[in-house]
Amino acid sequence: MIKNHETSAANTDSASDRLQALGLTLPELRENPYYVHHRTVGSSIYISGQLPYRDGWLLRQGTVGRDIDLDTARSLAHDAVLNCLAAAVHAVGDLERVRIVQMLVFVASTPDFGEQSQVADAASELLIEVLGENGRHARTAIGVAGLPLNSPVEIQMICTAV
């Protein structure tokens, strides 16, 4: 569930404090034998597509607009972007050093859904709430026919260290 971001988080000093004020923690990412969660090239950090896992479990499966409603899809985007942030922190060592450059949000959706940007908004809102200006980013939200493990949402990011 997406927490109401109308909290005191915006008034705290650090990104870590803002994350904690929202009642959130960054998850542990499980290693995969076939890919890495991030790759650094020069000053750019490429974050692999992250699914809405929590505690090692994919939270939902299905297609947005058929099996998954908009609010649930937004919540799933929220969890997927927390996994992206965890990968970024692993790359740079500290949440305070993360700056989001670009985010690509894939939404497995019915052809008539058309609200992919509203799903992506949940992830964007959280990034800005936690990282402030470092969370503002270029973004693409796209509907797709299917995603790995029948996940409704997948998020990929490009970051840099500040």
Side-chain angles (χ1 to χ4, degrees), residues 54-111:
R54 188 183 308 154
D55 299 325
W57 295 94
L58 184 62
L59 295 174
R60 291 289 300 267
Q61 292 180 308
T63 302
V64 181
R66 183 180 63 222
D67 313 308
I68 307 290
D69 64 27
L70 176 61
D71 288 338
T72 302
R74 287 176 52 85
S75 178
L76 295 169
H78 183 263
D79 283 286
V81 85
L82 281 174
N83 289 316
C84 289
L85 280 176
V89 167
H90 189 263
V92 303
D94 189 334
L95 189 57
E96 311 310 314
R97 299 190 60 224
V98 174
R99 176 180 291 151
I100 311 304
V101 175
Q102 183 180 36
M103 181 170 67
L104 178 56
V105 179
F106 299 95
V107 181
S109 53
T110 60

Side-chain angles (χ1 to χ4, degrees), residues 25-31 37 50 53-57 82-83 85-87 89-90:
T25 58
L26 294 179
E28 292 289 325
L29 299 178
R30 293 185 179 187
E31 291 188 29
H37 288 289
Q50 298 293 320
Y53 277 102
R54 188 183 308 154
D55 299 325
W57 295 94
L82 281 174
N83 289 316
L85 280 176
V89 167
H90 189 263

Side-chain angles (χ1 to χ4, degrees), residues 3 7 9-10 12 14-27 78 82 85-86 89 95-96 126 129-131:
K3 296 184 186 268
T7 65
T12 60
S14 72
S16 297
D17 289 343
R18 290 188 293 270
L19 187 71
Q20 185 176 7
L22 292 168
L24 301 172
T25 58
L26 294 179
H78 183 263
L82 281 174
L85 280 176
V89 167
L95 189 57
E96 311 310 314
L126 181 61
E129 181 74 21
V130 172
L131 299 175

Side-chain angles (χ1 to χ4, degrees), residues 106-130:
F106 299 95
V107 181
S109 53
T110 60
D112 63 334
F113 177 66
E115 298 180 74
Q116 291 83 2
S117 64
Q118 289 186 38
V119 174
D121 285 347
S124 294
E125 290 164 3
L126 181 61
L127 290 173
I128 293 167
E129 181 74 21
V130 172

